[in-house]
Amino acid sequence: MSKKIIRIQNVTKLYRMGNEVIRAVNGLDLDIYQGEVCCLFGKSGSGKSTLLNLIAGLEKPTKGEIIFHNHHIERMNENQLADFRQKYVGFVFQSYNLLPTLTAAENVMLPLIFKNVPVKERHERALKMLKAVGLEGRANHKPSEMSGGQQQRVSIARAFINRPQVVFADEPTGNLDTKTTYEMMDLITGLAKENHQTLVIVSHDMELSEYAHRIVVMMDGKIKSIEQKTMDENTGKDGGEEV
Ligand code: ADP
Ligand code: MG
């Protein structure tokens, strides 16, 4: 097994709603390994999105430690978290989260603008990335001029353009049909494999499990089960049954 990239230790996230306290994540421990495709499954409300947001530095835990390499995410202030996200992580969301007034190429190059990459290089890298996701002819299209699958391809290009160490995806295929779902999963896992990047994918759709190296099932803010599938070093895919 490869080395641990993220350690989640006794993490709790509480939400207060009036007099009620919701334990969205409840004293959870989990390690994420470099280069793995880790799928987080569970019913709606089981705490998957909350856990993902905590690991990705989008939200702060109420209690516990989240250690990325040697960086304690739970100790970072907002500026440090923003730097951390820019440097190390990419995101893919169910609703794509593209900026509607920008073209596909402009959306893809956004992470490079924050990193002060020169204009010419930004354009070149965005076009290259769009090509990699199969959208060569769509660089100047706005999100409203593209299908859902195409918009998700743009968001995948944006997530990967900085070569982040970890890409987090929250229900990335939730709005897509079955055929497009498989295309998107092939694309995400293929890109991640090229650069030995780590993928953490949240879904309630068990169909995605065939892409997972490890399946973590959540229930009531806790881990219900973890299934380690064999990881083929050569293909990066599940080794499956051997004859
Ligand atoms: P999942 O992604 O598995 O559907 P979530 O992590 O979104 O689950 O939610 C876990 C629990 O936390 C749910 O009961 C949900 O209602 C609650 N929750 C999530 N986000 C908030 C919030 N911002 N404020 C209050 N409660 C929340
Ligand atoms: Mg969710």
Side-chain angles (χ1 to χ4, degrees):
M1 180 52 91
S2 52
K3 76 176 205 282
K4 291 172 188 173
I5 186 165
I6 306 169
R7 285 175 291 152
I8 300 154
Q9 294 177 343
N10 196 20
V11 163
T12 293
K13 177 70 177 180
L14 305 178
Y15 290 112
R16 271 167 234 285
M17 300 285 285
N19 289 330
E20 199 192 348
V21 174
I22 298 163
R23 293 182 172 267
V25 174
N26 192 2
L28 185 146
D29 297 296
L30 181 67
D31 293 322
I32 307 288
Y33 295 90
Q34 172 110 46
E36 77 168 333
V37 178
C38 179
C39 283
L40 284 175
F41 291 125
K43 290 190 181 134
S44 176
S46 57
K48 306 180 297 295
S49 294
T50 304
L51 179 62
L52 195 81
N53 292 344
L54 293 172
I55 319 175
L58 290 168
E59 286 195 64
K60 286 211 161 202
T62 309
K63 208 185 89 185
E65 300 188 326
I66 302 166
I67 306 151
F68 186 100
H69 289 305
N70 293 320
H71 309 293
H72 274 265
I73 297 178
E74 83 282 358
R75 292 181 198 158
M76 294 181 187
N77 62 32
E78 287 306 320
N79 284 337
Q80 291 169 324
L81 283 173
D83 280 349
F84 162 79
R85 290 193 300 263
Q86 267 174 45
K87 207 165 165 193
Y88 295 111
V89 308
F91 296 95
V92 178
F93 300 96
Q94 176 171 5
S95 49
Y96 325 127
N97 290 18
L98 301 176
L99 295 183
T101 59
L102 300 185
T103 65
E106 287 164 348
N107 268 288
V108 172
M109 66 179 84
L110 274 181
L112 302 181
I113 295 175
F114 295 124
K115 263 194 151 180
N116 296 319
V117 174
V119 179
K120 189 163 174 282
E121 187 187 334
R122 262 179 357 225
H123 277 272
E124 284 167 4
R125 281 173 64 182
L127 291 180
K128 202 170 155 206
M129 205 60 224
L130 281 171
K131 191 175 171 192
V133 300
L135 285 180
E136 212 172 358
R138 296 289 183 278
N140 295 319
H141 286 236
K142 302 261 171 71
S144 61
E145 297 160 351
M146 289 183 282
S147 69
Q150 287 173 332
Q151 290 182 60
Q152 195 58 305
R153 285 175 190 273
V154 174
S155 99
I156 290 167
R158 181 184 58 186
F160 279 91
I161 196 163
N162 255 343
R163 296 225 178 136
Q165 294 194 12
V166 184
V167 172
F168 295 98
D170 193 346
E171 307 276 4
T173 62
N175 291 348
L176 304 172
D177 60 54
T178 306
K179 179 170 168 281
T180 315
T181 290
Y182 285 118
E183 287 171 8
M184 265 351 100
M185 288 302 294
D186 285 339
L187 186 58
I188 297 181
T189 53
L191 286 168
K193 205 189 128 211
E194 268 174 37
N195 294 305
H196 205 58
Q197 286 152 306
T198 306
L199 275 179
V200 183
I201 301 174
V202 157
S203 181
H204 63 272
D205 180 3
M206 292 294 286
E207 295 259 297
L208 304 193
S209 61
E210 67 184 78
Y211 291 92
H213 298 139
R214 206 154 54 109
I215 297 169
V216 176
V217 180
M218 285 186 71
M219 193 171 73
D220 299 334
K222 293 185 169 158
I223 291 174
K224 188 180 164 204
S225 63
I226 298 182
E227 180 191 346
Q228 175 71 54
K229 297 168 83 189
T230 48
M231 191 165 164
D232 184 327
E233 286 299 320
N234 296 317
T235 65
K237 279 207 159 188
D238 172 22
E241 308 88 339
E242 273 181 26
V243 185

